[in-house]
Amino acid sequence: MTARIGVVTFPGSLDDRDTRRAIRLAGAEPVALWHKDKDLKQVDAVVLPGGFSYGDYLRAGAISRFSPVMGTVIEQARAGLPVLGICNGFQVLTEAHLLPGAMLGNDHLHFICRDQKLRVENASTAWTSDYSEGQEIHVPLKNMDGRYVADAYTLDKLEAEGRVAFRYLDVNPNGSLRDIAGITNEAGNVVGLMPHPEHATEPLIGTGRTDGLPFFTSILKKLVTA
């Protein structure tokens, strides 16, 4: 049976269709989920895509955290449902306290859009197992509020437990503490990152590479072998 991966659309989501396409390219069935619905349609995993949910009017991801669909996502994520948050989705995950820390405005106060070099720090999560630890990849990055911050205790805990999933290389594009580009929860089923792997799945788009596709093949293999 084909794995079903839900992609939530909030008002202001920009990359939901790109994410569904990436899921289809990996061999899974993308399922559109609407922010007002509590029903996840029996999906096997969920992706919170990039964009500017609810216009970021209060704070990036802050309003989405209280949308009806997130009540179900939070409950099921805590029960083990794999959840990936990309860019704005990462912001939503921190606001929902499924991942620690917070996202603030870029330290240079400008929107940034560039191809970004990353190092894979944790290749054992549900979303990163098709990578190798230490692997260097290139993935597009576009954000205004991409600066990851947390207190020293939380940062030390993330480092000690191997929960930094990705780190910026060559340049820190937004001032994120310890060059953190993405993190995971303790169980490894919830991952959030600022760069956009869905824009690096085909040679003709994004970086011209397919470095982002393993996110979606990783979860497919996880679901097939579960």
Side-chain angles (χ1 to χ4, degrees):
M1 188 171 64
T2 303
R4 290 161 46 85
I5 302 178
V7 180
V8 178
T9 297
F10 300 99
S13 293
L14 300 178
D15 301 300
D16 44 347
R17 291 189 178 185
D18 303 73
T19 303
R20 293 200 299 267
R21 179 173 176 80
I23 290 167
R24 191 176 294 110
L25 286 170
E29 177 187 352
V31 178
L33 302 175
W34 186 238
H35 69 112
K36 287 187 176 181
D37 297 332
K38 295 182 179 180
D39 181 13
L40 298 185
K41 302 180 181 179
Q42 298 182 317
V43 297
D44 302 299
V46 168
V47 181
L48 306 180
F52 301 90
S53 60
Y54 295 91
D56 287 347
Y57 287 136
L58 176 60
R59 185 174 62 249
I63 301 177
S64 296
R65 178 260 179 273
F66 293 101
S67 62
V69 72
M70 282 305 298
T72 310
V73 169
I74 291 168
E75 178 183 355
Q76 294 199 21
R78 288 173 175 163
L81 180 75
V83 178
L84 174 66
I86 302 170
C87 194
N88 188 232
F90 186 13
Q91 295 161 343
V92 175
L93 290 177
T94 61
E95 292 287 344
H97 304 298
L98 287 174
L99 291 175
M103 310 303 301
L104 300 181
N106 297 340
D107 59 354
H108 45 71
L109 303 180
H110 294 287
F111 181 85
I112 187 169
C113 183
R114 54 169 289 145
D115 291 343
Q116 179 64 49
K117 189 175 181 181
L118 305 174
R119 183 172 63 237
V120 180
E121 302 283 29
N122 184 330
S124 63
T125 79
W127 299 92
T128 61
S129 61
D130 262 2
Y131 291 109
S132 301
E133 186 174 325
Q135 183 177 348
E136 297 181 2
I137 63 176
H138 291 79
V139 177
L141 175 76
K142 49 178 185 174
N143 63 72
M144 180 68 187
D145 299 293
R147 178 162 53 109
Y148 180 75
V149 299
D151 59 60
Y153 172 81
T154 299
L155 292 170
D156 289 343
K157 192 168 188 283
L158 289 172
E159 300 276 13
E161 295 176 356
R163 290 170 53 197
V164 175
F166 297 89
R167 214 179 296 268
Y168 296 116
L169 286 185
D170 293 346
V171 62
N172 185 324
N174 45 37
S176 291
L177 297 181
R178 304 194 188 180
D179 300 328
I180 291 174
I183 61 174
T184 179
N185 67 343
E186 293 181 6
N189 64 303
V190 179
V191 172
L193 79 160
M194 285 310 296
H196 287 260
E198 78 280 13
H199 294 326
T201 57
E202 297 179 275
L204 292 179
I205 62 172
T207 59
R209 302 158 63 112
T210 59
D211 292 2
L213 191 59
F215 273 90
F216 306 100
T217 57
S218 292
I219 189 58
L220 181 58
K221 290 180 180 179
K222 168 71 175 179
L223 295 172
V224 168
T225 59

